PDB file of all heavy atoms in Angstrom:
ATOM      1  N   VAL A 134     165.181 -18.666  75.081  1.00 87.00           N
ATOM      2  CA  VAL A 134     166.075 -18.736  73.919  1.00 87.00           C
ATOM      3  C   VAL A 134     166.787 -20.085  73.878  1.00 87.00           C
ATOM      4  O   VAL A 134     166.891 -20.732  72.819  1.00 87.00           O
ATOM      5  CB  VAL A 134     167.094 -17.573  73.942  1.00 87.00           C
ATOM      6  CG1 VAL A 134     168.153 -17.777  72.859  1.00 87.00           C
ATOM      7  CG2 VAL A 134     166.375 -16.242  73.742  1.00 87.00           C
ATOM      8  N   THR A 139     167.428 -25.359  71.398  1.00 91.00           N
ATOM      9  CA  THR A 139     167.549 -26.809  71.593  1.00 91.00           C
ATOM     10  C   THR A 139     166.490 -27.556  70.795  1.00 91.00           C
ATOM     11  O   THR A 139     166.775 -28.562  70.129  1.00 91.00           O
ATOM     12  CB  THR A 139     167.432 -27.169  73.092  1.00 91.00           C
ATOM     13  OG1 THR A 139     168.445 -26.466  73.810  1.00 91.00           O
ATOM     14  CG2 THR A 139     167.584 -28.669  73.307  1.00 91.00           C
ATOM     15  N   LYS A 185     165.349 -59.751  47.603  1.00 95.00           N
ATOM     16  CA  LYS A 185     165.170 -59.002  46.363  1.00 95.00           C
ATOM     17  C   LYS A 185     165.677 -59.768  45.143  1.00 95.00           C
ATOM     18  O   LYS A 185     165.562 -59.295  44.015  1.00 95.00           O
ATOM     19  CB  LYS A 185     165.900 -57.655  46.460  1.00 95.00           C
ATOM     20  CG  LYS A 185     165.281 -56.673  47.454  1.00 95.00           C
ATOM     21  CD  LYS A 185     166.130 -55.414  47.559  1.00 95.00           C
ATOM     22  CE  LYS A 185     165.534 -54.401  48.511  1.00 95.00           C
ATOM     23  NZ  LYS A 185     164.303 -53.791  47.980  1.00 95.00           N
ATOM     24  N   VAL A 192     175.771 -62.329  48.601  1.00 97.00           N
ATOM     25  CA  VAL A 192     176.958 -63.117  48.952  1.00 97.00           C
ATOM     26  C   VAL A 192     178.047 -62.234  49.552  1.00 97.00           C
ATOM     27  O   VAL A 192     178.691 -62.589  50.545  1.00 97.00           O
ATOM     28  CB  VAL A 192     177.491 -63.869  47.709  1.00 97.00           C
ATOM     29  CG1 VAL A 192     178.889 -64.431  47.965  1.00 97.00           C
ATOM     30  CG2 VAL A 192     176.537 -64.992  47.321  1.00 97.00           C
ATOM     31  N   LEU A 232     180.638 -75.141  58.504  1.00 97.00           N
ATOM     32  CA  LEU A 232     179.594 -75.000  59.510  1.00 97.00           C
ATOM     33  C   LEU A 232     179.464 -76.271  60.346  1.00 97.00           C
ATOM     34  O   LEU A 232     179.400 -76.219  61.580  1.00 97.00           O
ATOM     35  CB  LEU A 232     178.262 -74.682  58.813  1.00 97.00           C
ATOM     36  CG  LEU A 232     177.008 -74.581  59.685  1.00 97.00           C
ATOM     37  CD1 LEU A 232     177.204 -73.589  60.811  1.00 97.00           C
ATOM     38  CD2 LEU A 232     175.815 -74.184  58.830  1.00 97.00           C
ATOM     39  N   ALA A 242     171.987 -78.223  58.113  1.00 97.00           N
ATOM     40  CA  ALA A 242     173.234 -78.048  57.369  1.00 97.00           C
ATOM     41  C   ALA A 242     173.610 -79.346  56.669  1.00 97.00           C
ATOM     42  O   ALA A 242     174.124 -79.337  55.538  1.00 97.00           O
ATOM     43  CB  ALA A 242     174.351 -77.590  58.300  1.00 97.00           C
ATOM     44  N   ASP A 283     167.334 -90.112  46.517  1.00 96.00           N
ATOM     45  CA  ASP A 283     168.645 -90.720  46.245  1.00 96.00           C
ATOM     46  C   ASP A 283     168.586 -92.242  46.318  1.00 96.00           C
ATOM     47  O   ASP A 283     169.296 -92.941  45.576  1.00 96.00           O
ATOM     48  CB  ASP A 283     169.684 -90.182  47.225  1.00 96.00           C
ATOM     49  CG  ASP A 283     170.256 -88.848  46.776  1.00 96.00           C
ATOM     50  OD1 ASP A 283     169.846 -88.358  45.709  1.00 96.00           O
ATOM     51  OD2 ASP A 283     171.120 -88.286  47.484  1.00 96.00           O
ATOM     52  N   LEU A 303     154.736 -86.116  57.812  1.00 97.00           N
ATOM     53  CA  LEU A 303     155.201 -84.942  58.564  1.00 97.00           C
ATOM     54  C   LEU A 303     154.672 -83.645  57.966  1.00 97.00           C
ATOM     55  O   LEU A 303     154.411 -82.681  58.687  1.00 97.00           O
ATOM     56  CB  LEU A 303     156.735 -84.926  58.596  1.00 97.00           C
ATOM     57  CG  LEU A 303     157.392 -86.035  59.430  1.00 97.00           C
ATOM     58  CD1 LEU A 303     158.877 -86.120  59.119  1.00 97.00           C
ATOM     59  CD2 LEU A 303     157.174 -85.799  60.924  1.00 97.00           C
TER      60      LEU A 303
END
Side-chain angles (χ1 to χ4, degrees):
V134 171
T139 302
K185 291 176 179 290
V192 167
L232 176 54
D283 277 0
L303 291 166

